[in-house]
Structures are given as C-alpha cells and as structure tokens.
Amino acid sequence: MTESVEIVKEIDTPKIYLALRKDGIGYVYFKDHTELNIELQMELLKWYDELNDKNLLPFIIEAGEGVSITKEARDNAILIEDISAIKASAVVVNNLAYKMIANFYLNFNKPKRPYKVFSKREEAIAWLKQFV
C-alpha cells in the first residue's frame, strides 16, 4: 500500500499480507509467485475472521508478480462465498493477465457479493467506501 493510511491490525505470512485499515476497509496482498489453492483459501477464511472479529468487510485485493490461482480454488471461491468475511471485493489489477483472470471470475463464476475490477487503487477505495 502506497497511500498513507493507519493500519489497525495486520497479518503477515510468507505468501499473503492482510490488513485492516482504520477506514474499515480490509486489504489483501498476494506476494510474488504465490499459488492460491484450496488449502491457502481456507487459511484466508480464518485470517479474514481474525481481522475484524468475523464481521463482514469490504476488501481491496492485489497481487504481486507471478501469482496464480488453481481451477479448484477458483471454483471453490463461489462455494465458500457465504462463509467468507468479504462484504465486497475490489480487485486492483496491474497487468492484462490479472485483468483477464479477474474478469473471467466475474463473468463465469458470478459472485453473489459486490465484486469489481479496477486498474487504480484510489478508484477501488472510493467504490468500497459505500460498503463500510
């Protein structure tokens, strides 16, 4: 995160950095060369709950270089949506490949909760503020 915002709580793992911002928005950053699989997805569910005591939060989601998601995890994402602490997802993409993956998920998996793809973090934050 480059903008100056106070972090209330954070979880830093070898693959993922998560934070709860003072403005009530959650932040998830997938570190370089992380593969999101079902096992990591299930860990994420626990970490989301830890960030805000199991309350729903709007989240900014970003990824470093070489991050991938398995087909199983993509399919599982829709199955675990109802038990996830994610109220809304703003996916910030920095390249065409990530944009295609994020839009593919939106168009084919049809998330039940608000989900939008952005190329600028500031626009993602502005959109998420309606869900705080």
Side-chain angles (χ1 to χ4, degrees):
M1 285 188 296
T2 56
E3 78 272 11
S4 178
V5 63
E6 187 178 338
I7 301 298
V8 176
K9 191 172 189 179
E10 64 185 354
I11 299 169
D12 195 3
T13 78
K15 296 181 179 188
I16 298 174
Y17 172 79
L18 298 100
L20 174 58
R21 300 160 38 115
K22 188 174 183 178
D23 61 7
I25 295 174
Y27 178 77
V28 180
Y29 180 77
F30 292 90
K31 296 179 180 178
D32 292 352
H33 309 291
T34 294
E35 179 186 72
L36 179 56
N37 56 30
I38 290 178
E39 181 181 343
L40 185 55
Q41 222 172 26
M42 300 317 283
E43 286 293 315
L44 270 168
L45 285 179
K46 291 183 218 169
W47 295 327
Y48 293 151
D49 287 345
E50 284 179 33
L51 276 185
N52 201 31
D53 299 322
K54 298 186 180 187
N55 294 313
L56 294 177
L57 282 177
F59 273 89
I60 301 166
I61 301 168
E62 292 186 296
E65 291 182 31
V67 172
S68 62
I69 181 169
T70 65
K71 180 187 180 324
E72 294 80 13
R74 202 172 48 244
D75 294 342
N76 191 52
I78 220 57
L79 299 175
I80 63 173
E81 189 173 11
D82 290 334
I83 61 170
S84 170
I86 296 178
K87 186 176 195 176
S89 300
V91 180
V92 179
V93 297
N94 60 9
N95 64 49
L96 182 59
Y98 288 174
K99 185 175 185 175
M100 290 173 59
I101 291 167
N103 282 324
F104 179 87
Y105 177 76
L106 176 64
N107 293 321
F108 291 95
N109 292 82
K110 310 246 186 263
K112 299 172 211 154
R113 295 183 183 166
Y115 176 101
K116 195 166 180 180
V117 180
F118 297 89
S119 57
K120 295 182 180 173
R121 184 183 303 130
E122 300 79 26
E123 292 174 3
I125 292 167
W127 180 74
L128 285 174
K129 286 188 176 183
Q130 69 183 306
F131 301 104
V132 174

